[in-house]
Amino acid sequence: MAQDYNNPQINHPHVNRFLGGPPAAVIGRLILLSILVGVILAAIGLDPEHIIESVGHLITHIWNMGFDAVRWLWRYFLLGAVIVIPIWVVVRLAKSPRGP
């Protein structure tokens, strides 16, 4: 029986099963995925040379951004409440039942 050397499934079935496909295809997908993840991590400020410090800076930035978001939300809440609460009180008083 002649062996088909062009079919990687026959040549290295254990390697293909371990990797999840032909080695060249898996390596290509891993390279592309690594580049994509690298771009995403660079966009959020992580640096591969100083990964521990970069993660620390990222956590600090998210922490500070969280409190900035709370301050931002609080300011808009107060601004809206200055208008909404008095109108609500007037409407509630206007709809309150009158005494006998």
Side-chain angles (χ1 to χ4, degrees):
M1 182 183 222
Q3 230 180 10
D4 184 8
Y5 290 102
N6 294 328
N7 188 346
Q9 295 292 334
I10 294 173
N11 289 337
H12 306 288
H14 299 295
V15 173
N16 290 341
R17 191 172 356 144
F18 175 74
L19 293 176
V26 172
I27 290 171
R29 285 193 305 252
L30 288 174
I31 289 171
L32 290 175
L33 186 61
S34 295
I35 291 171
L36 177 66
V37 170
V39 167
I40 293 169
L41 292 177
I44 62 173
L46 293 179
D47 179 18
E49 294 175 1
H50 309 288
I51 191 76
I52 301 299
E53 291 142 10
S54 295
V55 170
H57 290 299
L58 176 64
I59 291 170
T60 303
H61 178 70
I62 290 172
W63 179 270
N64 292 336
M65 185 176 63
F67 286 115
D68 286 341
V70 169
R71 281 189 216 108
W72 173 82
L73 188 63
W74 180 250
R75 287 179 51 137
Y76 282 110
F77 167 75
L78 290 178
L79 182 62
V82 167
I83 303 299
V84 171
I85 300 298
I87 292 174
W88 178 78
V89 169
V90 168
V91 168
R92 294 301 296 168
L93 289 175
K95 289 186 176 182
S96 66
R98 304 283 181 217

